[in-house]
Amino acid sequence: MAIVLEFGKPDLVITVTYTPAWPEIKNNLMLNKTAQDRPDIGALVFNQKLQLIIQDLTKNNMFGKVIAFMYVSVTVPHAHILHTLDESSKPCDPIDFDKLVTAFQGNPTGVV
């Protein structure tokens, strides 16, 4: 709540979810093993992907200049990211929002 009081409501709420079908997980399993047999590998890959996404959002300004940012990673594993943009980067019309919104369906290797 403190971040909202200081910087206003977030412009983007992003959820990152884990999938056992990621090739980085499958390629590191022994024969006849599944991701459930090695949750440590899944957690490691998820955390690496999450850090890359955070870098894209904050340092590479994927969606614009960031003025506030926070995330929480929960047990499933998945993470929720709140992202507040500088006034000049905020989406303001349907075209801006269309550029931001992308849905990856049926793509287990895609990082969303």
Side-chain angles (χ1 to χ4, degrees):
M1 295 306 291
I3 199 167
V4 173
L5 288 173
E6 180 71 23
F7 298 102
K9 294 184 286 186
D11 297 297
L12 303 171
V13 178
I14 301 166
T15 301
V16 181
T17 57
Y18 159 88
T19 179
W22 282 333
E24 297 90 343
I25 295 171
K26 290 179 138 190
N27 293 342
N28 286 290
L29 294 172
M30 295 180 74
L31 191 60
N32 298 323
K33 295 291 181 183
T34 66
Q36 288 133 345
D37 297 324
R38 293 294 309 269
D40 57 319
I41 294 173
L44 180 64
V45 170
F46 174 79
N47 285 322
Q48 289 173 341
K49 286 182 178 277
L50 180 60
Q51 293 310 310
L52 288 172
I53 291 168
I54 289 169
Q55 182 176 337
D56 279 344
L57 293 172
T58 58
K59 291 185 172 82
N60 299 337
N61 295 324
M62 177 185 279
F63 295 127
K65 184 178 176 189
V66 178
I67 61 167
F69 164 82
M70 69 175 292
Y71 77 96
V72 61
S73 185
V74 290
T75 58
V76 173
H78 67 278
H80 301 286
I81 303 170
L82 300 178
H83 200 70
T84 305
L85 298 172
D86 179 71
E87 205 57 46
S88 65
S89 298
K90 291 183 185 285
C92 37
D93 61 39
I95 294 170
D96 291 339
F97 284 98
D98 285 345
K99 290 176 187 174
L100 292 175
V101 177
T102 304
F104 289 88
Q105 295 182 0
N107 183 4
T109 62
V111 176
V112 178

